[in-house]
Amino acid sequence: QVQLQESGPGLVKPSETLSLTCAVSGSSISSGYYWGWIRQPPGKGLEWIGNIYHSGSTQYNPSLKSRVSISVDTSKNQFSLKLSSVMAADTAVYYCARRGLASAFDIWGQGTMVTVSS
Amino acid sequence: QSALTQPPSASGSPGQSVTISCTGTSSDVGGYNYVSWYQHHPGKAPKLMIYEVSKRPSGVPDRFSGSKSGNTASLTVSGLQAEDEADYYCSSYAGSNNYVFGTGTKVTVL
């Protein structure tokens, strides 16, 4: 079955760039789906960050667009998130997910906690 | 875009039903039939329960049902079971390749 696994540093300093990767297994990342990033700050709800297609076409949350970059590496079957100029408010569990059925996120990774702190 | 509004909490006894609302605007919930619902047990990956307002993915019990009226979508869990205790989030397509989630509802099985 399709599985997603996030990886990356758990601690990032303020003003630096957060970088995470999502490895896709059980399916080709070029199989016709969008792949996305969603986050959840401690004690808060989910927030959509952005999506990417295997062609490299991207969709970003307008509130984060100036700081977000999502890329795809089809040779490694993975996609990545970069969030620049991070601040404490960017502390969250970051999930990667597949955008499948009718714009719903049907498969999710387990999530990875990222803390922004000096 | 603002988060969709959900009640912070809902509860019911085993076997009862609970309904969670998700209120947006004509630019998201009211404008598209792309409302989905997710069950989230803390520390685990969120699970898709409903998509396209009322459709259930394979494997989701038919105790879970979704509907929409105007700018408000709803998730009903019938025949509550202990394992249904979790956080539930709605989500909607919001046009222009944007997506918005709800504020989340904690469901407690009494």
Side-chain angles (χ1 to χ4, degrees):
Chain A
Q1 77 253 25
V2 182
Q3 292 185 312
L4 307 179
Q5 181 64 59
E6 307 89 347
S7 62
L11 181 64
V12 182
K13 290 182 168 55
S15 80
E16 294 190 345
T17 296
L18 177 160
S19 296
L20 296 174
T21 295
C22 180
V24 180
S25 60
S27 171
S28 169
I29 204 167
S30 302
S31 57
Y33 293 97
Y34 272 87
W35 305 87
W37 289 96
I38 298 108
R39 69 180 183 179
Q40 182 177 33
K44 296 188 177 182
L46 299 170
E47 179 181 33
W48 173 69
I49 300 172
N51 297 334
I52 192 165
Y53 196 61
H54 65 82
S55 63
S57 173
T58 53
Q59 305 166 340
Y60 295 136
N61 185 323
S63 67
L64 298 169
K65 188 173 184 177
S66 63
R67 299 194 293 130
V68 172
S69 176
I70 299 176
S71 60
V72 63
D73 187 336
T74 54
S75 66
K76 294 182 178 178
N77 219 42
Q78 63 185 34
F79 61 105
S80 300
L81 167 70
K82 289 188 185 300
L83 181 65
S84 63
S85 304
V86 296
M87 57 197 85
D90 294 313
T91 293
V93 176
Y94 285 77
Y95 296 95
C96 60
R98 186 181 79 172
R99 198 211 76 179
L101 308 161
S103 291
F105 294 95
D106 59 353
I107 300 173
W108 295 63
Q110 288 293 317
T112 187
M113 179 69 197
V114 179
T115 300
V116 177
S117 174
S118 55
Chain B
Q1 62 206 25
S2 299
L4 307 176
T5 301
Q6 298 180 233
S9 62
S11 62
S13 300
Q16 291 187 331
S17 295
V18 64
T19 296
I20 304 165
S21 62
C22 169
T23 301
T25 70
S26 58
S27 297
D28 38 62
V29 174
Y32 306 92
N33 286 326
Y34 290 144
V35 176
S36 50
W37 289 90
Y38 303 87
Q39 178 189 66
H40 189 204
H41 289 105
K44 294 194 172 183
K47 178 183 178 183
L48 176 66
M49 305 303 284
I50 296 286
Y51 68 99
E52 216 168 331
V53 177
S54 60
K55 297 180 179 178
R56 281 186 309 276
S58 175
V60 172
D62 60 7
R63 303 186 292 104
F64 292 84
S65 61
S67 62
K68 190 185 86 166
S69 178
N71 296 337
T72 299
S74 298
L75 172 72
T76 297
V77 186
S78 305
L80 267 175
Q81 299 182 4
E83 59 262 36
D84 299 333
E85 185 162 296
D87 297 322
Y88 290 83
Y89 293 89
C90 62
S91 178
S92 175
Y93 179 66
S96 301
N97 295 323
N98 291 324
Y99 302 81
V100 62
F101 281 92
T103 51
T105 299
K106 181 176 179 60
V107 169
T108 301
V109 180
L110 302 171

